[in-house]
Amino acid sequence: MRAPRRSDPAGPSAPGAGRRGGLPVRIHIEPRGSATRPTVAHRILAVMLGVGVGIAYLALQVGSGFFNTVWLATFGSALGLSQVIQLATPLILAGSAVAIAQRAGLWNIGVEGQLFIGAWAGTAVAFALPGLPSGLLVVCTLLGALAGGAVWAVVPALGRTRLGVSEVISTLMLNFVAYLWLAYWATGPWASPGTGTGGGLYSKPLPAGVSLPTFSVGAVQIGVGFLVAVAVALSVALLFRSTRLGVRTRLVGAGGRTASYAGINAPRVQFSVFLLSGAIGGLVGIVVELDHVHSYASTISSNTGYVGIVVALLAAASLAEVPITGFFIALLVAVGGALQIDGVSSSVVLLLTGVVLLFASFSPVLARYSIRVSGRSGRPRHTPADDEVALSASDAVST
Amino acid sequence: MSNAVLQASLVSAMLAATPLLYAALGELLMERVGMLNIGIEGVLLMGAAVGYITAIESGNVDVGLLAGAATGAVFLLICYGIPVLRLGASQILVGFAVWFIGTGLAAELGIKYTTQPLHTGTRDIAVPGLSDIPVLGKVLFDQPWPVLFGVLLAVAFAFLLRRTRHGLNMRSLGEDPSSAFAAGVSVIRWRAVYVAAGGALMGFGGAVLSVTIAQSWQQAITSGRGFIALALVILAGWRPLGLLWAAYLFGVLLILGDIGQAHGWPIASQFLGMAPYVLTVAILILRTMRERRQSGLPLAPAALGRDWIRSSGA
């Protein structure tokens, strides 16, 4: 008897939810016969299941006061909301960087490195040109960071597009090199005089005035960096929607022979997209540095490049969704941060995002079922006619 | 370099290479049956954390190492095996999830143990006779037992894959699972078995890192070794014996920073620390260039990373 499939996330919980008395609506989750791509509803359901598991884990670990802490760290206080916006800024940029690479069928796991190298290049510009008016210097710093991130992506991009070397491995390896580069500069040439090394690596502070301002809406603080991040995310979304590069990238990313039939030089398109991805990756760190860190420091990233992968994956490579998923993940990061005083490790964010990602990867499975919400008593419960139908549906989705 | 210093360096290089060897052997087994797991790092960390905690709490190092292996197997089966094999989730996406969950969960579990050092060493095995060979005797035959055991496992897996009927079936799972299925090999079951076996090897490797080598636990203890292992499998051409030289080469690179510091080389330790990562990229590029020029080099299993579901028209 195969009908009640044990490990389907939708299986055990969903029909029960539809039958429970007292609920004003009924949720019908039924298998569908045909192959379908996951809809937004499926993706949201999958993510919410993941968040539910993560929150349950944290709530059990922290105990009383958990929901109060969560509320104050997010929407419940101006400070919390300001913090979430500050955390969302680099995540939106990192998510955009990963998502545009994905558009061209590439994995940019190297944002964590690009952000340290971009910030290094930007910081070098700031130290090298102290005579400039500060507004101009900030612009030059940002441009330096873009260039630094792009340069850091050149080797993996060439390796992938010219030779077929896995960019997953090459970009990731370079992250460790970039971190050691930071360690060298922050303790060597740019070491801050007279301070200890408590709490990570710090260089001497940036020249005065080299920073991105913050403004307030009511009691909520919003950094200009946040606006920069959203603007970057939306302009790349526009770029990929309506330009030649965008169309070509879509064809290349679709895989198969479509691109070559259309006469597109796929490696060249991938190379350009990879460099653009690296350039945006280069912005991630410098924006944080100019916003509130004010020195070339290890704290400009807390696994931001890696968490950015999840931001991009949740957006399913739809670039315009990245600010939303970035903000959403920032909520989780804020919760994780607030719980550290309760003895939760600083890496708990990776655990939470990992669980969310795991469940998000189930959305093709959920897509085997249709989700309907109705106010009246619904149809009788469906039993899956046959595994074969469901399996062929998932097969069509996954290949 | 004097003989004694050379010997000491080689001894620690061999030891440093051992977690890499286990992790890469686990990944190799999985890849040969068609399962690509990019989340090795997460499994290593889970094995390292649970292995270390168990070693501290039980007071028995060997129990700790075995707990690391068991953790790796269970963790990878739950977070990777079931989603990929039963639920049709993408191997790449789930691989990321394994990496993230493993990293976060290991940090959570180990948080109280970062300040607790382990005072017992792992038992050495001195092979009678062989351990008296100058230099090499101490490097190969007078080391904590996981070192020699890793070498033996690599040889055993080479034999299994090349010379046995089951090895042939394994390879067919990685090259063409539909044909294997048609020939009566249970694709899902054997893939699940090798997910567990691969997870056990990775977890054991992680435990060797924390329990045997570092004798302490910290969040970032693996520092990318899981990804180096992923590259080693490619460098070794998916052959277990190829992994031996690849892993030991990287063992030398991993301790380069320590050697440099001990000898007062006039170069910042950070640059020496970059060596394993830079060389991984460089060697991958060189190997791919060679692969383009000569056709005889072994390639990845044809069905690596592809989902296989029973109704897909076998």
Side-chain angles (χ1 to χ4, degrees):
Chain A
M1 192 52 219
R2 291 186 282 176
R5 297 193 62 189
R6 52 315 80 177
S7 40
D8 267 349
S13 63
R19 299 174 114 208
R20 200 181 302 144
L23 268 180
V25 292
R26 286 177 181 243
I27 301 167
H28 304 280
I29 298 184
E30 296 163 354
R32 4 187 197 198
S34 60
T36 340
R37 286 176 58 94
T39 63
V40 173
H42 289 116
R43 281 165 47 207
I44 291 178
L45 178 63
V47 168
M48 285 308 152
L49 285 172
V51 172
V53 171
I55 293 291
Y57 166 81
L58 286 177
L60 284 177
Q61 205 191 10
V62 173
S64 67
F66 171 76
F67 288 101
N68 195 36
T69 311
V70 168
W71 175 243
L72 285 179
T74 52
F75 297 108
S77 71
L79 186 67
L81 197 53
S82 308
Q83 190 77 27
V84 171
I85 289 168
Q86 194 181 67
L87 290 167
T89 304
L91 287 174
I92 291 171
L93 286 169
S96 299
V98 178
I100 61 173
Q102 262 196 302
R103 286 240 125 174
L106 300 165
W107 288 102
N108 182 3
I109 315 299
V111 174
E112 187 74 9
Q114 287 141 15
L115 74 88
F116 282 123
I117 298 300
W120 174 81
T123 310
V125 169
F127 283 145
L129 307 168
L132 288 182
S134 60
L136 190 58
L137 189 50
V138 167
V139 173
C140 290
T141 303
L142 291 175
L143 291 177
L146 279 169
V151 166
W152 202 241
V154 164
V155 169
L158 279 179
R160 166 63 199 257
T161 58
R162 289 288 169 86
L163 297 166
V165 174
S166 161
E167 77 280 17
V168 172
I169 297 174
S170 59
T171 52
L172 194 110
M173 290 289 110
L174 291 178
N175 292 346
F176 294 96
V177 178
Y179 188 80
L180 288 163
W181 184 252
L182 164 104
Y184 170 73
W185 283 86
T187 57
W190 293 344
S192 58
T195 49
T197 50
L201 302 158
Y202 278 89
S203 77
K204 61 186 178 184
L206 286 174
V210 186
S211 62
L212 287 169
T214 301
F215 60 91
S216 347
V217 176
V220 178
Q221 303 280 315
I222 300 176
V224 168
F226 180 72
L227 303 184
V228 170
V230 174
V232 166
L234 294 181
S235 36
V236 290
L238 209 61
L239 176 81
F240 278 81
R241 178 160 301 176
S242 52
T243 62
R244 247 162 61 124
L245 179 71
V247 175
R248 292 174 166 217
T249 306
R250 207 173 312 150
L251 287 173
V252 171
R257 301 223 178 94
T258 329
S260 67
Y261 288 153
I264 292 169
N265 183 342
R268 183 169 295 174
V269 171
Q270 286 189 315
F271 184 79
S272 320
V273 173
F274 213 136
L275 290 205
L276 181 60
S277 170
I280 294 173
L283 275 185
V284 174
I286 198 73
V287 166
V288 176
E289 189 176 326
L290 296 179
D291 184 70
H292 58 275
V293 176
H294 301 304
S295 79
Y296 185 49
S298 56
T299 47
I300 59 174
S301 167
S302 34
N303 291 320
T304 310
Y306 301 129
V307 178
I309 300 169
V310 183
V311 172
L313 290 175
L314 292 190
S318 151
L319 296 169
E321 284 176 30
V322 165
I324 302 168
T325 56
F327 190 84
F328 171 73
I329 295 290
L331 291 172
L332 292 186
V333 176
V335 168
L339 292 175
Q340 272 176 44
I341 34 170
D342 292 306
V344 171
S345 130
S346 61
S347 296
V348 80
V349 171
L350 284 178
L351 175 60
L352 280 179
T353 50
V355 171
V356 169
L357 183 57
L358 186 65
F359 277 86
S361 76
F362 295 158
S363 61
V365 186
L366 291 182
R368 292 183 206 161
Y369 300 85
S370 69
I371 304 168
R372 260 181 337 110
V373 181
S374 71
R376 307 180 129 241
S377 68
R379 291 189 216 152
R381 226 170 111 198
H382 226 276
T383 47
D386 187 345
D387 270 9
E388 297 305 306
V389 176
L391 286 174
S392 59
S394 91
D395 184 39
V397 168
S398 58
T399 47
Chain B
M1 219 189 279
S2 75
N3 251 9
V5 176
L6 176 71
Q7 176 178 307
S9 303
L10 286 179
V11 165
S12 47
M14 191 85 183
L15 198 55
T18 299
L20 278 181
L21 179 64
Y22 282 105
L25 276 175
E27 179 71 14
L28 187 140
L29 285 186
M30 288 179 65
E31 293 198 10
R32 285 310 283 262
V33 297
M35 308 288 285
L36 178 68
N37 168 30
I38 63 168
I40 308 170
E41 186 86 354
V43 192
L44 277 178
L45 282 164
M46 283 299 291
V50 176
Y52 190 72
I53 294 167
T54 315
I56 290 261
E57 296 298 340
S58 71
N60 186 329
V61 168
D62 293 340
V63 171
L65 291 172
L66 294 180
T71 306
V74 172
F75 175 66
L76 202 58
L77 260 186
I78 293 176
C79 284
Y80 180 95
I82 292 173
V84 168
L85 294 171
R86 303 299 318 195
L87 302 174
S90 138
Q91 294 188 14
I92 293 272
L93 288 194
V94 172
F96 278 118
V98 165
W99 170 25
F100 282 32
I101 296 174
T103 308
L105 195 55
E108 276 289 288
L109 294 172
I111 196 163
K112 292 194 199 79
Y113 293 85
T114 37
T115 49
Q116 290 191 37
L118 180 69
H119 295 296
T120 7
T122 307
R123 205 161 358 105
D124 273 23
I125 288 190
V127 182
L130 294 176
S131 56
D132 298 330
I133 305 171
V135 183
L136 275 187
K138 287 272 177 267
V139 174
L140 283 173
F141 301 111
D142 189 7
Q143 288 263 34
W145 66 267
V147 174
L148 195 58
F149 186 60
V151 179
L152 296 178
L153 272 183
V155 175
F157 289 150
F159 181 81
L160 173 78
L161 278 165
R162 279 257 144 249
R163 305 275 172 204
T164 65
R165 184 171 180 84
H166 179 68
L168 185 67
N169 286 343
M170 275 177 77
R171 284 183 281 145
S172 74
L173 288 176
E175 301 293 343
D176 187 353
S178 296
S179 303
F181 179 70
V185 182
S186 173
V187 179
I188 301 291
R189 184 190 306 154
W190 281 112
R191 283 188 166 181
V193 166
Y194 282 102
V195 167
L201 286 164
M202 293 168 195
F204 187 79
V208 169
L209 191 59
S210 61
V211 171
T212 304
I213 299 179
Q215 301 198 356
S216 65
W217 160 257
Q218 49 157 345
Q219 277 190 40
I221 192 167
T222 51
S223 55
R225 280 175 176 76
F227 289 89
I228 295 181
L230 192 61
L232 290 184
V233 175
I234 302 173
L235 298 184
W238 289 268
R239 289 166 308 184
L241 293 181
L243 272 185
L244 285 178
W245 71 259
Y248 294 128
L249 170 69
F250 274 81
V252 173
L253 295 176
L254 282 172
I255 61 155
L256 212 54
D258 301 339
I259 297 181
Q261 246 168 6
H263 291 260
W265 291 352
I267 176 169
S269 66
Q270 288 96 354
F271 289 107
L272 289 175
M274 291 176 188
Y277 309 109
V278 172
L279 270 140
T280 305
V281 177
I283 295 181
L284 267 185
I285 289 175
L286 289 178
R287 185 186 187 276
T288 327
M289 283 165 77
R290 231 180 90 206
E291 197 174 273
R292 296 216 141 180
R293 270 187 280 113
Q294 64 194 75
S295 51
L297 279 182
L299 297 170
L304 182 62
R306 301 239 188 90
D307 300 322
W308 185 85
I309 287 161
R310 192 176 146 176
S311 62
S312 64

